[in-house]
Amino acid sequence: MQSVFICYTPLHTLISERIVKDYKIDKCHLIFLSPSNNRKNRYYFDRVSSLFDYSKFVSISNKLHYDWRKIIFTCKNFKHEARSEEVTIYCGNIKRAYSRLVCHYLDYKKIITFDDGLQNIGGDYFLTEGENPLSKLFFQIQNKSLTYKNVKRQISKHISIFKYKNAFENVELLELFPQDDKIHDVDTEIKIFLSSAFTETGDMKLAEEIDIYEKIISKFNITHVLPHPREKFTKITSKDVILINTELIAEEYIAKLKEKHSVKVYGVYSTALLTLSTIAGIKCFNIANTSFKMNLDSIFSELNIEKEHI
């Protein structure tokens, strides 16, 4: 049995790496479909590639009618490597048409999903709403078992890092950052703020986002700021904080930082807080903001993420 991991983000690769090691999977392969060819995506792909017998980094445009030839070519190469063995698909976002297209061309035997982030714990509607009409038509003609309403029934299990009700059934928990039993000397306290890409996504005006961050830094005595990877604008004006520049994603960077420091992490509905809340010894705080409404308070609360205001 061959195992194929479909990843879109660095978090996907970290989860895939942990699955391969914890479940002792051999004959495994990686297809990284990268919507943005940034340094973090490439770094994580390069880092985990050695775990896999075959790995392919594919830059995609998020327009499937441009990219379908790349998908077919990648699947043909994999089929040559797999030599007609049965395939188990591991995927962090089976909802994307790209993932289901890979399933279609690889003649999969089984689908196992793992967490993509907030949407996994955002409600049961995750795989029942919002299917693109064109992709829906394609799968209705080519493979009805891969439409939204049908693909969920084929998922044999879901591997999750969150101790919270998941949109999928048959959930198995995975510890993304296993904790050792050593007692580490903690010499200093670090308060990290995770900035966001609200301006870039059109959810806030730049001046408003800058103003909110200034208030957060001042009120909570923030020492470090970790920018969101999709940020394009300068938003931190304070000279009293350290801007972190790293190839690591926030979750892994802060998990490593915890070994030597007492760490408190602040964010405005940052999805990274959800992952960080699963790591013992890290205190997470969500800063509620009336100008940016999200119905996530109950989820953050159940995951022991404390609520703060500015």
Side-chain angles (χ1 to χ4, degrees), residues 41 49 58 60 63 66 69 79 88 100 106-107 132 135-136 141 183 207-208 214 224 242-243 251 265 300:
N41 285 1
S49 289
V58 182
I60 59 175
K63 296 178 180 178
Y66 290 141
R69 289 185 179 87
K79 280 186 173 182
T88 295
R100 291 177 286 138
L106 289 186
D107 301 322
N132 180 281
S135 64
K136 183 177 181 179
I141 295 171
I183 298 176
E208 180 185 11
E214 286 180 352
H224 295 68
I242 297 172
L243 282 175
E251 295 90 333
V265 187
F300 279 73

Side-chain angles (χ1 to χ4, degrees), residues 19-56:
I19 291 172
V20 170
K21 291 178 178 178
D22 285 9
Y23 287 79
K24 296 180 173 55
I25 299 173
D26 57 5
K27 294 184 179 179
C28 54
H29 312 268
L30 171 65
I31 299 174
F32 194 121
L33 302 174
S34 176
S36 58
N37 192 9
N38 59 42
R39 63 173 184 151
K40 288 186 189 290
N41 285 1
R42 180 62 73 169
Y43 168 79
Y44 278 94
F45 171 78
D46 290 341
R47 198 179 91 177
V48 304
S49 289
S50 61
L51 277 178
F52 298 89
D53 299 304
Y54 170 82
S55 57
K56 181 70 175 177

Side-chain angles (χ1 to χ4, degrees), residues 2 4 29 31 54 56 71-87 89 101-108:
Q2 301 276 352
V4 176
H29 312 268
I31 299 174
Y54 170 82
K56 181 70 175 177
I71 302 300
I72 295 174
F73 180 75
T74 300
C75 290
K76 282 184 176 179
N77 283 346
F78 168 77
K79 280 186 173 182
H80 177 73
E81 296 287 332
R83 298 177 183 176
S84 302
E85 287 191 41
E86 292 182 339
V87 172
I89 299 288
L101 194 61
V102 172
C103 292
H104 174 64
Y105 283 112
L106 289 186
D107 301 322
Y108 64 95

Side-chain angles (χ1 to χ4, degrees), residues 162-218:
F162 302 118
K163 294 179 181 179
Y164 191 87
K165 183 180 182 298
N166 207 286
F168 294 97
E169 299 173 350
N170 301 321
V171 176
E172 291 184 6
L173 288 176
L174 177 77
E175 190 176 11
L176 183 57
F177 299 106
Q179 304 297 302
D180 58 42
D181 296 325
K182 296 178 181 178
I183 298 176
H184 299 283
D185 292 329
V186 176
D187 53 5
T188 55
E189 179 181 74
I190 289 180
K191 292 184 175 182
I192 298 179
F193 173 64
L194 306 176
S195 60
S196 299
F198 294 140
T199 299
E200 289 76 4
T201 58
D203 292 303
M204 281 188 188
K205 293 182 179 180
L206 179 58
E208 180 185 11
E209 194 169 1
I210 291 173
D211 181 60
I212 288 172
Y213 292 171
E214 286 180 352
K215 291 176 180 176
I216 291 170
I217 290 169
S218 175

